[in-house]
Amino acid sequence: MADALLKEVQGGFADLFKEKPGLIERPFANVNKASVLQSARDFHDSIIVKEKPQECVQTITELLYLQANTSQQLVSVEATEVFFGITKLFVSSDARLRRMVYVILKELYLLCDPSDVIIITSCLTKDMTCDVDLYRANALRVLVRIIDSAMLGAIERYVKQAIIHKSPMVASSALVSSLFLFQKSAENASIVKRWVGEVNEAMGSPNEMVQFHATQLFYLIKSNDRLAVSKFVQTYSGIVTDGSSNVYKVKSKVKSPLAMVCLIRCAGKLLHEEVTEGRAAPDASIMNATDLCTIGYRFLESCLRHESDMVSFEAAKTICILPTQAAEVIFPAFSVLQLSISSTKPALRLAGVKLLFKVASLHPSLVARFNEGLEALLGDSNRLVGTLAIMTLLKTGTESSMDRLLKNMSAFFYQIAEEYKIMVVYSLERLCVTFPSKSRIVIGFMSRFLREEGGFAFKKTILKCIVSLMGTMPELRDMALLCLCEFIEDCEFVALSTEILYVLGENGPKSSSPARYVRFIYNRCILETAMVRAAAVSALSKFATCCPELRVSILPLLTFCLQDENDETRDRAAMAIHVLEELGLVGDSAIRSNDLEGNDDFPSENDGRDEDFESNHRIMSSEESTARDVLAMKLPLSFDVLAHRLKAYKESPGAMQDPQPITLNTLPVLEDSSLISNVHQLASSSSDPPLSDTRDFNKDIVDPSAVIYSIPEFSSFGRVFRSCAPIPLTESESEYVVTCIKHILDKHVILQFVVQNTIEDQRLENVYVATHTDSSFLDVMGELPANCITYGSTASCFTILEKGHDVSQLATSVFQCELKFTVISIDPETGEDLSNPLEEEYPLENVEIYIADFVAKTIVPDFRKAWENLGTSNEILQKFGLAEKTISNAVNDLIDCLGMQTCDGTSTVVKPGARQHMLHLCGIFCGSIQVLARCQVGFSGNGASVNSPTIILKMAIRSESSMISRLLLDSIC
């Protein structure tokens, strides 16, 4: 029995390792470059080429394999030798060999010298004019990759004939080649634009692929001509209007579903432009505001009933993303979305639920009707579909349904990939803002998965969301800190442990019972790695500094850390003990302040002062304040910000020769939200969570002031204080596209006008912008013109403004602008001048310089302390009535008006139903003058009335100059 069993097992192992007859080795696994190059020499033998074309095909296939899948790629010399051999293969009439020749030529021409590649053009041109459609189509595809704009004129006639060829293969190849040529260079594009007649004729082809490629090329040619694009949509949409409210549907000329998709996207783009340019309002009037709106929307509506799923869904998607919040506009698309999420096609289900997720941000009540179908998708085989479904349900569900939804999510979380878990976590974060009463349940839900198995990115996302919620809702602080304390007991990621210890050091002393966290922190001093131990010592130091009653207990713990084997841990402990002992704070029995956060009560008028506006916490002694600065104060800026500011300082003219020492105040201000945001800000309810945390904090920051430093004429003006965002002064489809960038300096303002020439038969010279203003503070000092701007190119001209000496005269200034230049007509093909220079003028939009342009957005690590340090000597208080209808809109408009950076997470959208909101703002006024503002935005006490605004703003501004405080307050009026 045992022998039989052993024999059976041995036979099973033999069968296991026996080669299966169905398994085939890779045919090119052992290909060697040397042997392949040797075989390629047979290309020069005409007898082998004519009698054994299959051997040549095999050799070409091996060459392609070497180029694509191995490290044995050809060098330039080898590629050139093979290329000359390939030219000998045109003597063969074998169709398979000729097709492989076309493929290998597209691979080799990049490796060869351009002068060598030109010799193949005669063979390709001969094939392009032959009667064999296969040769003609493929030769054209290869030829357009080799030739330049000078040679394109020689074969232009053949390409135009191919576009309208009766063979779909030839016509489609010609159109695709034209698309490639158009995007290859501006010179080629100017030639392709002359083929618009043939492209329009190809639109009538009965072949669907030809129609699709012709639609693409026609739009690409006319993309800068809005009138031509609108006429194109009206012609091929099949929608006709008689100039009144009557709309007729005729038979559409477009049969290809892919071409219909292109046409739908063109119509959607035109509707977007109608709203953005003010011809239609972002409401239900977009359906019939203009003839173009009527035709465009009716065309989209008719496509919802198209027989192709691709066309109907594209129409539904375009309708749903129109710039309008009117429910009746997007309602017709819901029938298509209902069919999509219940479809048997996985791709259609994914597309449908993804679009519903986006629509739910603006219309959660409308999408709520799909909740039953979305719940059925939770078990979909595609886990991304289930993830998007549950994220949509988190937006559209009611407060009563959240408990059931979270219960279902517990099992769902174990079945999805980590990247999908991250997406759900961001949705849960927003859920806490929508339903604050569920915040504790959500934090408990997230903390449970924080303690279980998971990757670094997933757990880091949960940590960021918990910290963000803790800052948004202070009442969750104790619960959130305890969850984080439990997590670090078994945390396997050093980076997360150090980050949690930092959070505990910052928020633990502000909690209701700081002593409970000391034990968790001290355990890290004993059981963890050196980096975590050092972070734990820093956290204990912050507790000892901010909590007087805990100093006696924490001092022995810090003393024990002096025996740590790690140098940094010992140094941190020694510094903390030394600071506390030298300042005489050890053993201090003073009671701890129980309001380290300060008081966010709103200002109220009382004898010209707002008593409740001041923080009511205990004033620290000078020793305690010094200790807090050393041990508990945050760094004024992150290392990333410091690195970028030092780089900008180094690039500014004369900086490295300046004998003055470098301080934080002398470094230039860089405004970049990815750098100054030290925590993950909670997105508003209208935004979607990111698919992944792709923010790169180490990316290179482009300094817009670098162009000023590169011009010698501006070297004496000094450093640029800040550069504003570009402002368009013309429409994007106009002949000359002009944008303006305002550069603010200490004594000057430089207006940079970026001018683009879009007319191919003109060259602009001596281009500058003439400005006129009635400002008493800014005077036009001169202009620096751009010498020459050719077709398709961009150049900058500058206008220099000189600032007055009396800053009190600073106010919003309006500059009337006019583009002046000398225009010369040229031949687009040769570039030769066809006319004498002619002076021209082109009107531009006005440029407005606001007071906010002189304020740089910065952030302070401790707003409350910075507020106290500025004092009340230059403080100004004032009360305003605002015309906005909601607190959210009032907060956003106030931030834009003052041009300052929000602090302490106060930019977060207020809770639903809240009647007031406190806003903290910080900035640097030109001249390195710090400005802080505290703003109370809330509904008036007696409610809204007909003759008075419903929103009241109470604002206090402190700065180093009362004049600056007054200027910023006056900018609101």
Side-chain angles (χ1 to χ4, degrees), residues 487-549:
F487 170 58
I488 60 173
E489 291 291 326
D490 298 310
C491 180
E492 67 271 29
F493 301 108
V494 174
L496 293 184
S497 296
T498 55
E499 187 171 351
I500 291 174
L501 289 170
Y502 173 80
V503 173
L504 288 173
E506 291 294 322
N507 295 274
K510 305 174 185 177
S511 63
S512 59
S513 180
R516 70 171 71 174
Y517 308 111
V518 175
R519 175 177 61 87
F520 294 98
I521 297 174
Y522 181 65
N523 286 343
R524 302 306 101 210
C525 296
I526 304 173
L527 306 173
E528 291 287 354
T529 60
M531 186 181 298
V532 178
R533 295 200 303 273
V537 169
S538 296
L540 287 176
S541 303
K542 293 178 181 180
F543 273 80
T545 303
C546 301
C547 305
E549 72 275 14

Side-chain angles (χ1 to χ4, degrees), residues 413-654:
F413 246 58
Y414 293 104
Q415 303 172 9
I416 61 177
E418 185 169 300
E419 57 181 325
Y420 301 152
K421 294 179 181 179
I422 293 174
M423 296 165 57
V424 177
V425 169
Y426 281 120
S427 294
L428 289 172
E429 183 184 6
R430 187 188 302 103
L431 174 67
C432 294
V433 178
T434 306
F435 303 115
S437 61
K438 301 297 180 181
S439 301
R440 295 184 178 275
I441 299 176
V442 171
I443 288 183
F445 176 83
M446 290 193 294
S447 64
R448 179 159 60 90
F449 286 96
L450 196 62
R451 296 189 299 269
E452 295 183 359
E453 293 294 329
F456 175 79
F458 173 53
K459 294 192 175 184
K460 183 176 179 61
T461 303
I462 293 180
L463 174 59
K464 289 196 298 185
C465 291
I466 290 178
V467 173
S468 177
L469 290 173
M470 187 167 52
T472 306
M473 305 175 188
E475 64 273 13
L476 301 176
R477 178 181 290 123
D478 288 343
M479 178 185 178
L481 291 178
L482 284 176
C483 292
L484 296 180
C485 287
E486 294 176 1
F487 170 58
I488 60 173
E489 291 291 326
D490 298 310
C491 180
E492 67 271 29
F493 301 108
V494 174
L496 293 184
S497 296
T498 55
E499 187 171 351
I500 291 174
L501 289 170
Y502 173 80
V503 173
L504 288 173
E506 291 294 322
N507 295 274
K510 305 174 185 177
S511 63
S512 59
S513 180
R516 70 171 71 174
Y517 308 111
V518 175
R519 175 177 61 87
F520 294 98
I521 297 174
Y522 181 65
N523 286 343
R524 302 306 101 210
C525 296
I526 304 173
L527 306 173
E528 291 287 354
T529 60
M531 186 181 298
V532 178
R533 295 200 303 273
V537 169
S538 296
L540 287 176
S541 303
K542 293 178 181 180
F543 273 80
T545 303
C546 301
C547 305
E549 72 275 14
L550 297 179
R551 288 173 190 158
V552 177
S553 302
I554 295 177
L555 185 61
L557 305 181
L558 293 174
T559 304
F560 177 79
C561 294
L562 293 175
Q563 304 174 8
D564 194 275
E565 61 183 11
N566 179 256
D567 294 340
E568 184 175 354
T569 304
R570 293 196 307 270
D571 291 345
R572 292 190 184 190
M575 184 185 70
I577 295 173
H578 176 75
V579 170
L580 294 175
E581 290 179 344
E582 285 295 320
L583 296 175
L585 299 181
V586 178
D588 189 359
S589 60
I591 60 172
R592 182 180 66 90
S593 165
N594 49 18
D595 186 13
L596 289 174
E597 301 174 61
N599 183 17
D600 283 345
D601 293 340
F602 298 120
S604 59
E605 296 183 0
N606 183 16
D607 298 330
R609 294 292 306 161
D610 292 338
E611 296 179 0
D612 291 338
F613 193 44
E614 299 297 326
S615 58
N616 59 3
H617 58 280
R618 178 181 64 87
I619 302 299
M620 288 186 176
S621 64
S622 59
E623 291 81 5
E624 288 178 313
S625 180
T626 303
R628 188 173 183 180
D629 290 343
V630 174
L631 300 177
M633 178 63 69
K634 300 179 184 177
L635 289 175
L637 70 173
S638 67
F639 290 108
D640 291 327
V641 176
L642 180 60
H644 288 293
R645 290 179 66 177
L646 286 171
K647 182 179 179 181
Y649 177 85
K650 182 180 179 181
E651 294 175 353
S652 60

